């Protein structure tokens, strides 16, 4: 992880540093990367749980929800670039004002900023002795995917998919407790199947009584910003799917509904459905 952190930082600096980093990537990747693995089955030893996975999907699809559950189940860190951005926004650091403008307009944060934030996070993980990861929100562009591919070996890429009308409704229902910081969703989504699209039901995820009066809406969760964010994702980020599809690492997963419907099926396609003890630990 140390080499990954150093090379990401070098790649973010651009110019000669990027070229030098790329020249070193091939040899370091061979030293750092574990053997590529299919979806794990059984996982009897902790060492086998040090997977290196990426979660893709449109903003609001639920990457963080499922990646964090799998993180606890597999015993690896969940590194969400969205959380890294929000942590930086909440800080008094030099990037806070610049990021606020970008996020509130629904634009994608630049490669350089994301890689710098990820580099800092990996350094913290290195200091804590972390091994393996589930990346959520990175890479978002082919350039980022190429940088990551040169640094380490990604075992599998899970691409979560959900129809756009449901995505918009889901994003507009998101709420955050201003006191405890937990995420909730007040939308009750019940969309009938039509024109070849499946029916979708997602029950609301309501807050407990002590959080009810403290609910706030994210500044970027307006319909205009949400639709613009989805348009940008479709224009710029979907080619990443093709990048990993060509490598045979892409697992497409259509969410059939909310967490109760989707979580067991996701475990099934990942060959983890028989891990009853692990499922209980992640619930």
């Amino acid at each position: 992880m140390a080499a990954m952190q150093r090379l990401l930082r070098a790649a973010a600096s651009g110019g000669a540093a990027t070229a030098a980093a790329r020249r070193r990537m091939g040899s370091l990747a061979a030293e750092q990367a574990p053997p590529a693995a299919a979806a794990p089955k059984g996982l009897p030893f902790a060492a086998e749980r040090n997977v290196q996975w990426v979660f893709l999907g449109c903003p609001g699809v639920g990457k963080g929800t499922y990646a964090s559950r799998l993180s606890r189940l597999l015993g690896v860190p969940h590194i969400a670039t969205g959380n890294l951005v929000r942590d930086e926004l909440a800080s008094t650091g030099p990037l806070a004002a610049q990021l606020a403008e970008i996020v509130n307009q629904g634009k994608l944060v630049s490669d350089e900023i994301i890689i710098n934030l990820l580099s800092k996070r990996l350094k913290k993980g290195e200091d804590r002795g972390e091994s393996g990861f589930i990346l959520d929100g990175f890479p978002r562009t082919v350039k980022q995917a190429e940088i990551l591919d040169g640094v380490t070996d990604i075992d599998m890429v899970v691409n979560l998919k959900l129809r756009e009308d449901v995505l918009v409704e889901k994003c507009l229902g998101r709420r955050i407790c201003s006191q405890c910081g937990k995420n909730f969703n007040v939308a009750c989504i019940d969309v009938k199947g039509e024109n070849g699209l499946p029916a979708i039901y997602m029950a609301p995820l309501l807050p407990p009584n002590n959080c009810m009066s403290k609910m706030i809406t994210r500044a970027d969760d307006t319909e205009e910003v949400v639709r613009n964010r989805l348009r940008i994702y479709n224009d710029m980020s979907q080619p990443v799917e093709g990048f990993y599809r060509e490598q045979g690492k892409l697992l497409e997963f259509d969410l059939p509904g909310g967490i109760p419907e989707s979580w067991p099926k996701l475990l099934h396609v990942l060959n983890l459905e028989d891990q009853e003890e692990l499922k209980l630990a992640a619930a």
Side-chain angles (χ1 to χ4, degrees):
M1 211 181 252
M4 181 178 178
Q5 184 266 337
R6 288 195 302 272
L7 284 178
L8 284 173
R9 186 172 54 218
S13 65
T18 302
R22 288 184 182 278
R23 285 195 298 271
R24 294 165 55 206
M25 281 176 179
S27 59
L28 277 172
E31 297 172 12
Q32 294 294 112
K41 194 173 185 68
L43 304 175
F45 303 110
E48 295 180 19
R49 297 202 295 273
N50 294 336
V51 300
Q52 299 189 164
W53 290 355
V54 166
F55 264 63
L56 298 180
C58 290
V61 75
K63 296 187 297 295
T65 297
Y66 296 102
S68 63
R69 283 179 167 233
L70 286 167
S71 166
R72 296 192 298 273
L73 187 151
L74 298 172
V76 297
H78 167 218
I79 303 177
T81 53
N83 289 342
L84 299 182
V85 169
R86 283 187 281 276
D87 289 345
E88 190 70 25
L89 280 169
S91 73
T92 56
L95 285 177
Q98 181 183 356
L99 281 171
E101 182 178 356
I102 293 170
V103 170
N104 289 336
Q105 292 177 4
K107 296 179 180 178
L108 286 181
V109 180
S110 70
D111 290 346
E112 290 73 21
I113 292 176
I114 288 294
I115 291 172
N116 273 323
L117 293 176
L118 181 58
S119 178
K120 288 166 59 179
R121 170 61 183 83
L122 289 170
K123 178 61 170 64
K124 290 181 180 178
E126 176 192 341
D127 293 342
R128 293 196 293 260
E130 290 178 349
S131 175
F133 53 78
I134 297 178
L135 291 181
D136 160 12
F138 184 93
R140 297 184 97 176
T141 66
V142 171
K143 177 183 175 184
Q144 291 177 356
E146 289 172 344
I147 292 170
L148 184 62
D149 220 31
V151 173
T152 193
D153 184 33
I154 298 301
D155 303 325
M156 182 166 59
V157 178
V158 181
N159 184 31
L160 299 182
K161 303 175 76 173
L162 188 63
R163 46 189 286 184
E164 184 170 320
D165 55 338
V166 175
L167 268 172
V168 172
E169 191 172 349
K170 184 170 179 278
C171 287
L172 296 181
R174 291 194 293 196
R175 298 292 186 273
I176 303 171
C177 176
S178 59
Q179 181 171 316
C180 70
K182 290 184 178 179
N183 293 287
F184 303 96
N185 201 301
V186 299
C188 181
I189 299 172
D190 190 3
V191 180
K192 299 185 183 301
E194 57 184 4
N195 300 323
L197 296 173
I200 297 283
Y201 177 76
M202 292 185 176
L205 180 60
L206 298 177
N209 290 334
N210 59 310
C211 292
M212 189 69 74
S213 63
K214 304 176 184 68
M215 291 296 95
I216 59 173
T217 303
R218 281 171 39 174
D220 56 334
D221 276 348
T222 66
E223 184 168 357
E224 179 182 0
V225 170
V226 168
R227 291 192 180 278
N228 187 52
R229 194 187 301 135
L230 293 175
R231 180 187 60 79
I232 292 173
Y233 180 86
N234 290 332
D235 290 345
M236 296 183 62
S237 298
Q238 283 190 338
V240 178
E241 298 174 16
F243 179 86
Y244 287 116
R245 187 178 290 112
E246 289 180 1
Q247 296 183 359
K249 295 180 178 180
L250 189 70
L251 172 66
E252 308 266 15
F253 184 73
D254 289 288
L255 292 166
I259 294 172
E261 298 82 15
S262 300
W263 176 240
K265 292 183 178 180
L266 180 59
L267 290 179
H268 174 73
V269 300
L270 294 175
N271 295 323
L272 295 170
E273 72 276 17
D274 294 330
Q275 305 301 308
E276 192 64 33
E277 183 178 344
L278 293 176
K279 281 197 293 184
L280 292 174

